[in-house]
Amino acid sequence: MTRADRSRRSPRRTPPTPRRSSTPLVLGGVVAVVVIAAVAAVVIAGLAPAGVAEPAGQVTISGEPLPALVDPAADPAVGQQLPTLSGIGLDGQPIAVGPDGGPMAIVVLAHWCAHCQAELPGLVQLIAQGGVPEGVTVVGVSTAIDALRPNYPPSAWFEREGWAQPTLIDDASSTALHALGLSSFPGFVFVDAQGAVALRLTGEIGTDRFGQLLASLAS
């Protein structure tokens, strides 16, 4: 048998197909996950600026909560001592609103409320023009906070409007709102020099009336 015959009868060996590494696919998957996670982090971070506690933790109440406001003309809360509302302010610092603060106006606002949005610019302008009498303070309560509604977070809304008054951030249960006996907004609680309620109102009252009521607290 010749060498050629043996060559023809011997089976041919096919060279093994090189295995393709899965490393690029794995790395690609990892990169994709990292990118997605980074995008998600940006979106989540965009809901509330760093350092802003919205909604805040538990709001605590000291003293007797005010009764529910039904008729401002016959308000049982008039003459009653204001309870103390303690929590976190828009600046992230502890804040307390209570009867020892002297004559004050408490303005209760919700960032998504159309009437609050209409009322706030006028209040800001009045304050900027010196419409708050000496010795009288104006403080805010940011309530009914909802991340799915307009102007969230409320701190950004207040900043855009130029509202710089000390403002308590209400909790998820609207504890501060209920302690003031209010169920709608904007809401106003005017407190005299002895820490007693002088008047409560809800709805848009306008800058002229707000200014007049502030002046009455100083007299």
Side-chain angles (χ1 to χ4, degrees):
M1 179 181 297
T2 66
R3 182 179 298 178
D5 293 334
R6 287 197 302 269
S7 177
R8 282 194 296 270
R9 292 184 180 182
S10 300
R12 293 186 178 180
R13 295 183 180 178
T14 304
T17 303
R19 296 180 61 185
R20 300 178 63 183
S21 172
S22 61
T23 302
L25 294 177
V26 174
L27 291 177
V30 171
V31 171
V33 170
V34 171
V35 170
I36 292 173
V39 172
V42 170
V43 173
I44 294 171
L47 293 178
V52 177
E54 297 173 10
Q58 186 71 28
V59 171
T60 59
I61 306 298
S62 301
E64 189 69 22
L66 301 180
L69 174 62
V70 178
D71 180 8
D75 187 356
V78 172
Q80 180 175 329
Q81 198 79 354
L82 180 74
T84 299
L85 287 58
S86 302
I88 301 297
L90 286 175
D91 58 0
Q93 299 301 312
I95 182 175
V97 179
D100 56 352
M104 75 174 77
I106 304 172
V107 183
V108 183
L109 301 161
H111 60 93
W112 48 267
C113 161
H115 294 289
C116 299
Q117 294 166 16
E119 189 83 303
L120 186 57
L123 301 183
V124 170
Q125 183 177 19
L126 176 71
I127 294 170
Q129 293 175 346
V132 180
E134 184 177 356
V136 178
T137 58
V138 177
V139 300
V141 173
S142 175
T143 193
I145 299 168
D146 189 341
L148 300 180
R149 296 203 178 202
N151 291 328
Y152 183 87
S155 58
W157 173 55
F158 284 119
E159 184 177 359
R160 286 196 306 270
E161 295 293 345
W163 177 264
Q165 306 309 115
T167 300
L168 172 72
I169 304 174
D170 209 350
D171 60 22
S173 300
S174 297
T175 298
L177 176 73
H178 298 146
L180 294 174
L182 304 178
S183 59
S184 61
F185 22 77
F188 301 87
V189 180
F190 297 90
V191 183
D192 64 22
Q194 288 71 47
V197 175
L199 179 67
R200 291 188 300 175
L201 298 170
T202 57
E204 298 181 39
I205 64 174
T207 54
D208 289 343
R209 190 176 187 193
F210 185 69
Q212 292 168 2
L213 292 171
L214 291 179
S216 69
L217 294 177
S219 59

PDB file of all heavy atoms in Angstrom, residues 64-94:
ATOM      1  N   GLU A  64     -52.892  71.993  73.683  1.00  0.00           N
ATOM      2  CA  GLU A  64     -54.187  71.549  73.151  1.00  0.00           C
ATOM      3  C   GLU A  64     -54.347  71.977  71.687  1.00  0.00           C
ATOM      4  O   GLU A  64     -54.248  73.160  71.364  1.00  0.00           O
ATOM      5  CB  GLU A  64     -55.319  72.164  73.979  1.00  0.00           C
ATOM      6  CG  GLU A  64     -56.693  71.619  73.666  1.00  0.00           C
ATOM      7  CD  GLU A  64     -56.870  70.178  74.110  1.00  0.00           C
ATOM      8  OE1 GLU A  64     -56.131  69.736  75.005  1.00  0.00           O
ATOM      9  OE2 GLU A  64     -57.768  69.503  73.558  1.00  0.00           O
ATOM     10  N   PRO A  65     -54.596  71.009  70.778  1.00  0.00           N
ATOM     11  CA  PRO A  65     -54.850  71.391  69.373  1.00  0.00           C
ATOM     12  C   PRO A  65     -56.082  72.284  69.273  1.00  0.00           C
ATOM     13  O   PRO A  65     -57.004  72.202  70.100  1.00  0.00           O
ATOM     14  CB  PRO A  65     -55.086  70.040  68.679  1.00  0.00           C
ATOM     15  CG  PRO A  65     -54.421  69.040  69.560  1.00  0.00           C
ATOM     16  CD  PRO A  65     -54.579  69.554  70.962  1.00  0.00           C
ATOM     17  N   LEU A  66     -56.098  73.125  68.272  1.00  0.00           N
ATOM     18  CA  LEU A  66     -57.233  74.018  68.082  1.00  0.00           C
ATOM     19  C   LEU A  66     -58.416  73.246  67.510  1.00  0.00           C
ATOM     20  O   LEU A  66     -58.236  72.307  66.730  1.00  0.00           O
ATOM     21  CB  LEU A  66     -56.842  75.155  67.133  1.00  0.00           C
ATOM     22  CG  LEU A  66     -55.662  76.031  67.555  1.00  0.00           C
ATOM     23  CD1 LEU A  66     -55.411  77.116  66.511  1.00  0.00           C
ATOM     24  CD2 LEU A  66     -55.905  76.652  68.932  1.00  0.00           C
ATOM     25  N   PRO A  67     -59.635  73.637  67.885  1.00  0.00           N
ATOM     26  CA  PRO A  67     -60.812  72.970  67.311  1.00  0.00           C
ATOM     27  C   PRO A  67     -60.927  73.269  65.824  1.00  0.00           C
ATOM     28  O   PRO A  67     -60.356  74.247  65.324  1.00  0.00           O
ATOM     29  CB  PRO A  67     -61.976  73.585  68.095  1.00  0.00           C
ATOM     30  CG  PRO A  67     -61.459  74.908  68.571  1.00  0.00           C
ATOM     31  CD  PRO A  67     -59.995  74.705  68.827  1.00  0.00           C
ATOM     32  N   ALA A  68     -61.666  72.437  65.131  1.00  0.00           N
ATOM     33  CA  ALA A  68     -61.824  72.605  63.685  1.00  0.00           C
ATOM     34  C   ALA A  68     -62.503  73.932  63.369  1.00  0.00           C
ATOM     35  O   ALA A  68     -63.464  74.338  64.038  1.00  0.00           O
ATOM     36  CB  ALA A  68     -62.643  71.452  63.120  1.00  0.00           C
ATOM     37  N   LEU A  69     -61.977  74.605  62.355  1.00  0.00           N
ATOM     38  CA  LEU A  69     -62.563  75.874  61.926  1.00  0.00           C
ATOM     39  C   LEU A  69     -63.762  75.593  61.019  1.00  0.00           C
ATOM     40  O   LEU A  69     -63.630  74.936  59.988  1.00  0.00           O
ATOM     41  CB  LEU A  69     -61.519  76.710  61.170  1.00  0.00           C
ATOM     42  CG  LEU A  69     -62.038  78.003  60.537  1.00  0.00           C
ATOM     43  CD1 LEU A  69     -62.562  78.967  61.598  1.00  0.00           C
ATOM     44  CD2 LEU A  69     -60.950  78.660  59.707  1.00  0.00           C
ATOM     45  N   VAL A  70     -64.918  76.105  61.416  1.00  0.00           N
ATOM     46  CA  VAL A  70     -66.134  75.973  60.610  1.00  0.00           C
ATOM     47  C   VAL A  70     -66.594  77.332  60.116  1.00  0.00           C
ATOM     48  O   VAL A  70     -66.821  77.541  58.924  1.00  0.00           O
ATOM     49  CB  VAL A  70     -67.259  75.272  61.413  1.00  0.00           C
ATOM     50  CG1 VAL A  70     -68.530  75.185  60.565  1.00  0.00           C
ATOM     51  CG2 VAL A  70     -66.821  73.883  61.865  1.00  0.00           C
ATOM     52  N   ASP A  71     -66.705  78.270  61.044  1.00  0.00           N
ATOM     53  CA  ASP A  71     -67.171  79.612  60.718  1.00  0.00           C
ATOM     54  C   ASP A  71     -66.244  80.631  61.375  1.00  0.00           C
ATOM     55  O   ASP A  71     -66.228  80.758  62.606  1.00  0.00           O
ATOM     56  CB  ASP A  71     -68.607  79.810  61.221  1.00  0.00           C
ATOM     57  CG  ASP A  71     -69.154  81.194  60.919  1.00  0.00           C
ATOM     58  OD1 ASP A  71     -68.485  81.959  60.194  1.00  0.00           O
ATOM     59  OD2 ASP A  71     -70.258  81.503  61.413  1.00  0.00           O
ATOM     60  N   PRO A  72     -65.465  81.358  60.582  1.00  0.00           N
ATOM     61  CA  PRO A  72     -64.551  82.349  61.181  1.00  0.00           C
ATOM     62  C   PRO A  72     -65.257  83.395  62.033  1.00  0.00           C
ATOM     63  O   PRO A  72     -64.659  83.956  62.955  1.00  0.00           O
ATOM     64  CB  PRO A  72     -63.892  82.995  59.950  1.00  0.00           C
ATOM     65  CG  PRO A  72     -64.005  81.965  58.884  1.00  0.00           C
ATOM     66  CD  PRO A  72     -65.313  81.276  59.120  1.00  0.00           C
ATOM     67  N   ALA A  73     -66.536  83.644  61.754  1.00  0.00           N
ATOM     68  CA  ALA A  73     -67.270  84.656  62.514  1.00  0.00           C
ATOM     69  C   ALA A  73     -67.666  84.145  63.898  1.00  0.00           C
ATOM     70  O   ALA A  73     -68.011  84.949  64.775  1.00  0.00           O
ATOM     71  CB  ALA A  73     -68.512  85.085  61.744  1.00  0.00           C
ATOM     72  N   ALA A  74     -67.654  82.841  64.087  1.00  0.00           N
ATOM     73  CA  ALA A  74     -67.987  82.260  65.391  1.00  0.00           C
ATOM     74  C   ALA A  74     -66.985  81.151  65.678  1.00  0.00           C
ATOM     75  O   ALA A  74     -67.336  79.978  65.796  1.00  0.00           O
ATOM     76  CB  ALA A  74     -69.414  81.717  65.390  1.00  0.00           C
ATOM     77  N   ASP A  75     -65.736  81.554  65.788  1.00  0.00           N
ATOM     78  CA  ASP A  75     -64.645  80.588  65.902  1.00  0.00           C
ATOM     79  C   ASP A  75     -64.356  80.297  67.377  1.00  0.00           C
ATOM     80  O   ASP A  75     -63.928  81.185  68.124  1.00  0.00           O
ATOM     81  CB  ASP A  75     -63.394  81.153  65.220  1.00  0.00           C
ATOM     82  CG  ASP A  75     -62.256  80.152  65.146  1.00  0.00           C
ATOM     83  OD1 ASP A  75     -62.386  79.036  65.689  1.00  0.00           O
ATOM     84  OD2 ASP A  75     -61.229  80.486  64.527  1.00  0.00           O
ATOM     85  N   PRO A  76     -64.550  79.041  67.802  1.00  0.00           N
ATOM     86  CA  PRO A  76     -64.294  78.706  69.204  1.00  0.00           C
ATOM     87  C   PRO A  76     -62.822  78.776  69.584  1.00  0.00           C
ATOM     88  O   PRO A  76     -62.485  78.759  70.771  1.00  0.00           O
ATOM     89  CB  PRO A  76     -64.830  77.272  69.329  1.00  0.00           C
ATOM     90  CG  PRO A  76     -64.756  76.719  67.937  1.00  0.00           C
ATOM     91  CD  PRO A  76     -65.035  77.877  67.040  1.00  0.00           C
ATOM     92  N   ALA A  77     -61.941  78.831  68.598  1.00  0.00           N
ATOM     93  CA  ALA A  77     -60.507  78.879  68.896  1.00  0.00           C
ATOM     94  C   ALA A  77     -60.033  80.267  69.301  1.00  0.00           C
ATOM     95  O   ALA A  77     -58.945  80.404  69.876  1.00  0.00           O
ATOM     96  CB  ALA A  77     -59.701  78.402  67.690  1.00  0.00           C
ATOM     97  N   VAL A  78     -60.820  81.299  69.008  1.00  0.00           N
ATOM     98  CA  VAL A  78     -60.412  82.658  69.345  1.00  0.00           C
ATOM     99  C   VAL A  78     -60.269  82.775  70.865  1.00  0.00           C
ATOM    100  O   VAL A  78     -61.184  82.428  71.618  1.00  0.00           O
ATOM    101  CB  VAL A  78     -61.426  83.695  68.821  1.00  0.00           C
ATOM    102  CG1 VAL A  78     -61.104  85.094  69.343  1.00  0.00           C
ATOM    103  CG2 VAL A  78     -61.431  83.692  67.296  1.00  0.00           C
ATOM    104  N   GLY A  79     -59.130  83.244  71.306  1.00  0.00           N
ATOM    105  CA  GLY A  79     -58.844  83.357  72.726  1.00  0.00           C
ATOM    106  C   GLY A  79     -58.133  82.139  73.286  1.00  0.00           C
ATOM    107  O   GLY A  79     -57.627  82.195  74.409  1.00  0.00           O
ATOM    108  N   GLN A  80     -58.092  81.044  72.508  1.00  0.00           N
ATOM    109  CA  GLN A  80     -57.414  79.833  72.975  1.00  0.00           C
ATOM    110  C   GLN A  80     -55.922  79.936  72.721  1.00  0.00           C
ATOM    111  O   GLN A  80     -55.478  80.500  71.710  1.00  0.00           O
ATOM    112  CB  GLN A  80     -57.977  78.598  72.261  1.00  0.00           C
ATOM    113  CG  GLN A  80     -57.334  77.287  72.693  1.00  0.00           C
ATOM    114  CD  GLN A  80     -58.003  76.084  72.042  1.00  0.00           C
ATOM    115  OE1 GLN A  80     -59.206  76.105  71.757  1.00  0.00           O
ATOM    116  NE2 GLN A  80     -57.224  75.032  71.800  1.00  0.00           N
ATOM    117  N   GLN A  81     -55.151  79.380  73.648  1.00  0.00           N
ATOM    118  CA  GLN A  81     -53.699  79.409  73.500  1.00  0.00           C
ATOM    119  C   GLN A  81     -53.275  78.558  72.305  1.00  0.00           C
ATOM    120  O   GLN A  81     -53.781  77.449  72.094  1.00  0.00           O
ATOM    121  CB  GLN A  81     -53.025  78.874  74.771  1.00  0.00           C
ATOM    122  CG  GLN A  81     -51.573  79.248  74.915  1.00  0.00           C
ATOM    123  CD  GLN A  81     -51.371  80.675  75.402  1.00  0.00           C
ATOM    124  OE1 GLN A  81     -52.329  81.444  75.538  1.00  0.00           O
ATOM    125  NE2 GLN A  81     -50.137  81.044  75.672  1.00  0.00           N
ATOM    126  N   LEU A  82     -52.350  79.100  71.530  1.00  0.00           N
ATOM    127  CA  LEU A  82     -51.824  78.357  70.382  1.00  0.00           C
ATOM    128  C   LEU A  82     -50.968  77.181  70.866  1.00  0.00           C
ATOM    129  O   LEU A  82     -50.120  77.358  71.746  1.00  0.00           O
ATOM    130  CB  LEU A  82     -50.966  79.294  69.530  1.00  0.00           C
ATOM    131  CG  LEU A  82     -50.329  78.685  68.274  1.00  0.00           C
ATOM    132  CD1 LEU A  82     -51.387  78.487  67.198  1.00  0.00           C
ATOM    133  CD2 LEU A  82     -49.202  79.591  67.762  1.00  0.00           C
ATOM    134  N   PRO A  83     -51.163  75.973  70.329  1.00  0.00           N
ATOM    135  CA  PRO A  83     -50.257  74.878  70.676  1.00  0.00           C
ATOM    136  C   PRO A  83     -48.892  75.095  70.036  1.00  0.00           C
ATOM    137  O   PRO A  83     -48.761  75.893  69.095  1.00  0.00           O
ATOM    138  CB  PRO A  83     -50.954  73.653  70.089  1.00  0.00           C
ATOM    139  CG  PRO A  83     -51.752  74.187  68.944  1.00  0.00           C
ATOM    140  CD  PRO A  83     -52.195  75.563  69.368  1.00  0.00           C
ATOM    141  N   THR A  84     -47.897  74.417  70.536  1.00  0.00           N
ATOM    142  CA  THR A  84     -46.557  74.507  69.953  1.00  0.00           C
ATOM    143  C   THR A  84     -46.363  73.398  68.942  1.00  0.00           C
ATOM    144  O   THR A  84     -46.564  72.220  69.247  1.00  0.00           O
ATOM    145  CB  THR A  84     -45.474  74.412  71.047  1.00  0.00           C
ATOM    146  OG1 THR A  84     -45.633  75.504  71.951  1.00  0.00           O
ATOM    147  CG2 THR A  84     -44.083  74.460  70.430  1.00  0.00           C
ATOM    148  N   LEU A  85     -45.975  73.784  67.728  1.00  0.00           N
ATOM    149  CA  LEU A  85     -45.710  72.839  66.642  1.00  0.00           C
ATOM    150  C   LEU A  85     -44.199  72.763  66.458  1.00  0.00           C
ATOM    151  O   LEU A  85     -43.554  73.777  66.187  1.00  0.00           O
ATOM    152  CB  LEU A  85     -46.363  73.313  65.340  1.00  0.00           C
ATOM    153  CG  LEU A  85     -47.881  73.226  65.181  1.00  0.00           C
ATOM    154  CD1 LEU A  85     -48.621  73.996  66.267  1.00  0.00           C
ATOM    155  CD2 LEU A  85     -48.298  73.755  63.800  1.00  0.00           C
ATOM    156  N   SER A  86     -43.647  71.570  66.603  1.00  0.00           N
ATOM    157  CA  SER A  86     -42.191  71.409  66.490  1.00  0.00           C
ATOM    158  C   SER A  86     -41.860  70.408  65.390  1.00  0.00           C
ATOM    159  O   SER A  86     -42.529  69.398  65.231  1.00  0.00           O
ATOM    160  CB  SER A  86     -41.605  70.919  67.823  1.00  0.00           C
ATOM    161  OG  SER A  86     -41.897  71.814  68.870  1.00  0.00           O
ATOM    162  N   GLY A  87     -40.819  70.713  64.646  1.00  0.00           N
ATOM    163  CA  GLY A  87     -40.393  69.821  63.574  1.00  0.00           C
ATOM    164  C   GLY A  87     -39.152  70.360  62.889  1.00  0.00           C
ATOM    165  O   GLY A  87     -38.276  70.930  63.526  1.00  0.00           O
ATOM    166  N   ILE A  88     -39.108  70.197  61.568  1.00  0.00           N
ATOM    167  CA  ILE A  88     -37.971  70.635  60.763  1.00  0.00           C
ATOM    168  C   ILE A  88     -38.417  71.726  59.801  1.00  0.00           C
ATOM    169  O   ILE A  88     -39.509  71.657  59.220  1.00  0.00           O
ATOM    170  CB  ILE A  88     -37.375  69.455  59.966  1.00  0.00           C
ATOM    171  CG1 ILE A  88     -36.914  68.351  60.912  1.00  0.00           C
ATOM    172  CG2 ILE A  88     -36.203  69.917  59.089  1.00  0.00           C
ATOM    173  CD1 ILE A  88     -35.802  68.762  61.849  1.00  0.00           C
ATOM    174  N   GLY A  89     -37.573  72.741  59.640  1.00  0.00           N
ATOM    175  CA  GLY A  89     -37.882  73.826  58.725  1.00  0.00           C
ATOM    176  C   GLY A  89     -37.361  73.570  57.327  1.00  0.00           C
ATOM    177  O   GLY A  89     -36.646  72.599  57.074  1.00  0.00           O
ATOM    178  N   LEU A  90     -37.699  74.459  56.421  1.00  0.00           N
ATOM    179  CA  LEU A  90     -37.238  74.344  55.037  1.00  0.00           C
ATOM    180  C   LEU A  90     -35.723  74.381  54.932  1.00  0.00           C
ATOM    181  O   LEU A  90     -35.146  73.866  53.975  1.00  0.00           O
ATOM    182  CB  LEU A  90     -37.834  75.462  54.181  1.00  0.00           C
ATOM    183  CG  LEU A  90     -39.315  75.354  53.819  1.00  0.00           C
ATOM    184  CD1 LEU A  90     -39.761  76.597  53.069  1.00  0.00           C
ATOM    185  CD2 LEU A  90     -39.597  74.102  53.006  1.00  0.00           C
ATOM    186  N   ASP A  91     -35.071  74.996  55.918  1.00  0.00           N
ATOM    187  CA  ASP A  91     -33.611  75.067  55.906  1.00  0.00           C
ATOM    188  C   ASP A  91     -32.970  73.822  56.519  1.00  0.00           C
ATOM    189  O   ASP A  91     -31.749  73.751  56.655  1.00  0.00           O
ATOM    190  CB  ASP A  91     -33.127  76.313  56.652  1.00  0.00           C
ATOM    191  CG  ASP A  91     -33.612  76.350  58.101  1.00  0.00           C
ATOM    192  OD1 ASP A  91     -34.326  75.419  58.531  1.00  0.00           O
ATOM    193  OD2 ASP A  91     -33.272  77.323  58.804  1.00  0.00           O
ATOM    194  N   GLY A  92     -33.796  72.842  56.916  1.00  0.00           N
ATOM    195  CA  GLY A  92     -33.267  71.613  57.492  1.00  0.00           C
ATOM    196  C   GLY A  92     -32.972  71.706  58.972  1.00  0.00           C
ATOM    197  O   GLY A  92     -32.496  70.739  59.569  1.00  0.00           O
ATOM    198  N   GLN A  93     -33.261  72.850  59.574  1.00  0.00           N
ATOM    199  CA  GLN A  93     -32.984  73.055  60.987  1.00  0.00           C
ATOM    200  C   GLN A  93     -34.264  72.897  61.805  1.00  0.00           C
ATOM    201  O   GLN A  93     -35.369  73.126  61.303  1.00  0.00           O
ATOM    202  CB  GLN A  93     -32.396  74.452  61.213  1.00  0.00           C
ATOM    203  CG  GLN A  93     -31.083  74.697  60.486  1.00  0.00           C
ATOM    204  CD  GLN A  93     -30.001  73.717  60.903  1.00  0.00           C
ATOM    205  OE1 GLN A  93     -29.776  73.493  62.098  1.00  0.00           O
ATOM    206  NE2 GLN A  93     -29.329  73.124  59.930  1.00  0.00           N
ATOM    207  N   PRO A  94     -34.121  72.525  63.091  1.00  0.00           N
ATOM    208  CA  PRO A  94     -35.308  72.417  63.947  1.00  0.00           C
ATOM    209  C   PRO A  94     -36.032  73.758  64.044  1.00  0.00           C
ATOM    210  O   PRO A  94     -35.415  74.820  64.055  1.00  0.00           O
ATOM    211  CB  PRO A  94     -34.722  72.002  65.305  1.00  0.00           C
ATOM    212  CG  PRO A  94     -33.410  71.362  64.979  1.00  0.00           C
ATOM    213  CD  PRO A  94     -32.887  72.110  63.792  1.00  0.00           C
TER     214      PRO A  94
END
